[in-house]
C-alpha cells in the first residue's frame, strides 16, 4: 500500500509539472535550489496572474465552448505546438484519475450541481454551462487540483472567483463614448422648448403633440423609460430617449445601444470575494443566464 501511494504521488507530481508547463510555460520551481523544488507541489492557491493565464489556456482547450474539456480537445494543444510528451502524460493522468474518482463516487457524482448557481461561484461546472454527465469531461476544477496539488475546497472556491473575474473581463466590451456636448446642448434646447411651465419635467404626451413621435412609439418609450410610472421625464431621461446609437446619454446611464443597434448594459456580478463591473452585450448576458446573477 505504501509503494502504491508513493507511485500515485509521483504521478500527481509529474502531471502537475506537465500541466504547469502547458498552461504557464514553466513549472515554477526552476530558480529554486534542488532541496526546495518540491515546494511547488505544496502550493494551494494560484496568483491572480496564474489564474488569468489558466483562463487563456482554458479558452484555447475548450474548442466547442461547452464549458468542459474532453481528451480530444486536450490533444488539440499539439496543433498549437505543445510538447507531445507533456500532453500525453496529462491525458493519461486525467483519464485514469477521472475514471477512478468517478467510479469511487458512483454514478450520482456526474450529476454535480452547476458551478454557477445563482449567487454562487462555489460549485462544479464552468462558466459556459459545462457538460457534467460524461466521465471523459475534464472540469476546470479538475485541472486546478492538478496545478495546485494542495488546494482545498475553499481554495478552489477562491480561485473560481478569480477565474470568473477574468472570464467576464474577456466577455466585456468597451464603454461607448458620452454624447458630444454639442448634441447635448441641442437636445437641452429642445427639452426647454417642451418644458413650457419650466418644471423640469415633460409629459410623454407632449412628444406626440409636437410630432417627435407617434402614439405607438410613445407607448414603447413609456414602457422602456417611464421608470417612476409618473407619465413624465426629466432632461436626463430625455437624453436617454433621444440618444443616437453608438453613444451613452450621460455618465450614469446603465444601458446603451451600439452603432449596429445591439443593446449593451453596465452590470455588476459577485465573483467570490470580488465584484465584476463592466459593460456586456445583452446577447452575451442571455447566454449566461443561470450561470451568473447580474444586477444593474
Amino acid at each position: 500500500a505504501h509503494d502504491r501511494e508513493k507511485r500515485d504521488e509521483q504521478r500527481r507530481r509529474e502531471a502537475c509539472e506537465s500541466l504547469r508547463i502547458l498552461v504557464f510555460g514553466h513549472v515554477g520551481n526552476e530558480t529554486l535550489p534542488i532541496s526546495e523544488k518540491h515546494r511547488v507541489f505544496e502550493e494551494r492557491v494560484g496568483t491572480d496572474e496564474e489564474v488569468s493565464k489558466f483562463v487563456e489556456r482554458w479558452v484555447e482547450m475548450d474548442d466547442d465552448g461547452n464549458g468542459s474539456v474532453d481528451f480530444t480537445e486536450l490533444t488539440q494543444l499539439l496543433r498549437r505546438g505543445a510538447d507531445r510528451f507533456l500532453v500525453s502524460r496529462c491525458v493519461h493522468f486525467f483519464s485514469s484519475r477521472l475514471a477512478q474518482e468517478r467510479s469511487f463516487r458512483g454514478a450520482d457524482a456526474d450529476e454535480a450541481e452547476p458551478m454557477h448557481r445563482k449567487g454562487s461561484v462555489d460549485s462544479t461546472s464552468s462558466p459556459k454551462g459545462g457538460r457534467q454527465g460524461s466521465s471523459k469531461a475534464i472540469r476546470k476544477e479538475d485541472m486546478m487540483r492538478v496545478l495546485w496539488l494542495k488546494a482545498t475546497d475553499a481554495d478552489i472556491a477562491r480561485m473560481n472567483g478569480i477565474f470568473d473575474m477574468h472570464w467576464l473581463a474577456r466577455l466585456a466590451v468597451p464603454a461607448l463614448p458620452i454624447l458630444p456636448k454639442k448634441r447635448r446642448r441641442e437636445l437641452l434646447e429642445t427639452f426647454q422648448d417642451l418644458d413650457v411651465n419650466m418644471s423640469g419635467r415633460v409629459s410623454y404626451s407632449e412628444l406626440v403633440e409636437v410630432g417627435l413621435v407617434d402614439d405607438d412609439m410613445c407607448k414603447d418609450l413609456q414602457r422602456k423609460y417611464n421608470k417612476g410610472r409618473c407619465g413624465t421625464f426629466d432632461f436626463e431621461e430625455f437624453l436617454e430617449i433621444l440618444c443616437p446609437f453608438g453613444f451613452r446619454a450621460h455618465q450614469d446611464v446603465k444601458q446603451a445601444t451600439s452603432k449596429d443597434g445591439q443593446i449593451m448594459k453596465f452590470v455588476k456580478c459577485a465573483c467570490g470575494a470580488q465584484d465584476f463591473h463592466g459593460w456586456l452585450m445583452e446577447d452575451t448576458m442571455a447566454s449566461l443566464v443561470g450561470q451568473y446573477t447580474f444586477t444593474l
Side-chain angles (χ1 to χ4, degrees), residues 151-220:
T152 64
D153 289 346
D155 296 327
I156 295 297
R158 176 183 171 189
M159 288 189 287
N160 274 339
I162 300 172
F163 185 102
D164 291 346
M165 285 289 291
H166 287 289
W167 182 270
L168 292 175
R170 292 176 65 91
L171 299 177
V173 295
L176 295 174
I178 299 293
L179 190 67
K181 292 181 179 180
K182 180 180 179 181
R183 181 56 176 155
R184 181 183 174 91
R185 285 195 300 269
E186 293 172 349
L187 290 175
L188 175 59
E189 292 174 3
T190 302
F191 180 82
Q192 291 172 336
D193 290 339
L194 293 171
D195 185 18
V196 292
N197 60 3
M198 301 178 65
S199 66
R201 302 197 69 85
V202 175
S203 68
Y204 282 90
S205 59
E206 289 182 69
L207 294 176
V208 179
E209 292 174 8
V210 299
L212 283 177
V213 299
D214 57 26
D215 287 329
D216 291 338
M217 186 177 293
C218 181
K219 292 177 182 178
D220 289 339

Side-chain angles (χ1 to χ4, degrees), residues 4 27 48 62 104 112 120-121 124 130 133 136 161 164 179 181-182 194 211-212 232 237 257 263 267 274 291:
R4 184 172 64 252
V27 176
D48 188 270
D62 186 14
F104 175 77
S120 170
V121 294
T124 56
K136 295 182 179 180
D164 291 346
L179 190 67
K181 292 181 179 180
K182 180 180 179 181
L194 293 171
L212 283 177
T232 63
E237 292 168 325
T257 306
I263 295 175
V267 297
Q274 306 177 73
Q291 303 171 44

Side-chain angles (χ1 to χ4, degrees), residues 99-166:
Q100 177 185 353
E101 288 183 354
R102 291 171 186 177
S103 173
F104 175 77
R105 291 198 302 259
D108 290 342
D110 284 331
E111 299 302 325
E113 288 183 335
M115 174 182 155
H116 294 283
R117 298 187 306 270
K118 290 191 175 181
S120 170
V121 294
D122 185 14
S123 53
T124 56
S125 89
S126 83
K128 292 186 185 175
R131 172 181 61 225
Q132 292 297 313
S134 172
S135 61
K136 295 182 179 180
I138 305 170
R139 303 163 304 177
K140 71 180 188 305
E141 288 82 5
D142 296 322
M143 286 197 176
M144 285 179 179
R145 292 188 185 277
V146 174
L147 291 169
W148 297 281
L149 291 179
K150 297 298 183 181
T152 64
D153 289 346
D155 296 327
I156 295 297
R158 176 183 171 189
M159 288 189 287
N160 274 339
I162 300 172
F163 185 102
D164 291 346
M165 285 289 291
H166 287 289

Side-chain angles (χ1 to χ4, degrees), residues 42-58:
E42 305 297 320
E43 292 185 7
R44 292 172 39 187
V45 179
T47 64
D48 188 270
E49 182 180 355
E50 286 174 335
V51 178
S52 175
K53 192 70 174 178
F54 176 53
V55 173
E56 292 180 22
R57 291 293 175 265
W58 182 264

